Amino acid sequence: QYEISDSAAAAFTRGFYGALARGRGVDEAVSSGRVAIVGLHGQTLEWITPVLYLRGHDSQLFTVPEARSYANAGSQRGKVNSGRAEAHTDIKSSRQPRVTSRLRSRGPSHLVRAFIGHTAGVHCVTFSPDGTLVASAGSDKTVRFWEAGDGTAVRRLTGHTGPIYGIDFSPDGNILASVGARDRTLRLWETASGAPLRRLIGNTSEVRWVVFSPDGNLLASAGSDQTVRIWDVSTWTAVRTLTEHTAAVHCVAFSPDGNMLASASSDQTVRIWDVSTWTALHTLTGHSYSVSSVSFSPDGKLLASVGGDKTVRLWDPSKGIAVRTLTGHTELVYSVSFSPDGDLLATASGDKTVRLWDASSGAPVRSLTGHDSSVTCLSFSPDGTLLASAGSDNKVRLWG
């Protein structure tokens, strides 16, 4: 209904045609296009410019047929020009592993909404165990809760005196843990009310990450003092300090069965610990720069790590051996996470993108763009249909 800028038009086009390609009605496609415009930056009003005039009640333009596999598509092309089709197939497979159409059609592919409210860079984001809430925190010293369904801001938690680098929900969803840089504390909050429950002190430098064990009995925190601290949730006391890293520890992750803990450090290593004895099982080397994030696959058979060398590395955590190295990001990689079904791997980078990879082959699936600066953290929803990403542009984006 009015003139529109090139950037807004491009954003609308991506959202609109992406929705149509997924079989959505034209009215839903217009809504997706508008949301994509909002995602450019929170102050724009250009989302009101696209309008839909619909005659009748049927907004479904066409039915999207079941996607054919790459092999079938290749054989169909071959009927027209078999030589050209075969040559194309050979070249394609020699460059990178194939991604099946099943994987291409799965996983987040478009911007659903942007959560706007943080006044400084957002460093961490996570879904509640039931998938209804998204929690985020960052340099504005606040933790914020949002409704995952419609993006409504639920509450804002204050108390930290410096940037917040890590948050995690307890397995039952009743408690949120957060860790701060400047105040060197680990804080616990009641999810339902946002009330502060407890403040844990022990690290001698800024705390970088926090995670609950799968059974909820333990809490692990990572710090710039080169330690990993283990807390007993029943007493909220520190029961163990792991000290083998020789530089700041940025991230910790429990295996799905709770038997292993992985830690990532600026000493360019990932260490895997036996939770029953707290002895180091393996030291994984290969990164040529600081390691910023680690994530176990849902079956515990793979461990992913990312870091300043711009690579994504996959390991066999039980054997402590390298499996595969994925390349494609052009800046350091801040965060990594497996999808709940284990099919996909998501990574967030300083190159302003979120990338999805086929976890079994390492092939790139797609790249999600929209953040205006570094993407620092990401989290899949429990059902795997949504992916939240947080960035230095002060925004949390939700992809579906």
Side-chain angles (χ1 to χ4, degrees), residues 64-198:
V64 178
E66 181 103 14
R68 294 178 299 175
S69 68
Y70 185 91
N72 288 340
S75 62
Q76 292 296 320
R77 287 193 302 269
K79 292 179 180 179
V80 179
N81 188 329
S82 59
R84 180 180 299 172
E86 289 173 5
H88 174 78
T89 301
D90 289 342
I91 294 171
K92 184 72 174 179
S93 61
S94 67
R95 287 178 178 172
Q96 61 184 25
R98 296 176 185 173
V99 183
T100 65
S101 59
R102 179 184 68 85
L103 275 175
R104 283 199 184 96
S105 65
R106 295 186 63 183
S109 60
H110 67 289
L111 181 67
V112 176
R113 66 181 55 88
F115 301 152
I116 300 170
H118 282 286
T119 57
V122 189
H123 301 305
C124 44
V125 64
T126 188
F127 278 89
S128 61
D130 63 5
T132 61
L133 289 177
V134 175
S136 59
S139 287
D140 62 3
K141 310 173 190 176
T142 69
V143 178
R144 297 173 188 252
F145 287 169
W146 318 82
E147 288 284 355
D150 59 13
T152 302
V154 177
R155 65 182 54 91
R156 174 175 169 268
L157 313 182
T158 60
H160 283 287
T161 59
I164 303 169
Y165 288 123
I167 54 175
D168 192 39
F169 282 100
S170 60
D172 61 11
N174 293 331
I175 297 174
L176 181 86
S178 62
V179 291
R182 191 172 302 157
D183 55 17
R184 305 176 186 177
T185 63
L186 193 159
R187 294 175 185 255
L188 303 165
W189 314 82
E190 184 181 57
T191 302
S193 67
L197 297 175
R198 192 175 294 269

Side-chain angles (χ1 to χ4, degrees), residues 207-231:
V207 194
R208 308 289 302 190
W209 201 253
V210 63
V211 65
F212 281 94
S213 62
D215 61 9
N217 293 331
L218 299 173
L219 193 65
S221 60
S224 292
D225 58 4
Q226 306 178 13
T227 68
V228 175
R229 293 178 189 265
I230 310 299
W231 307 81

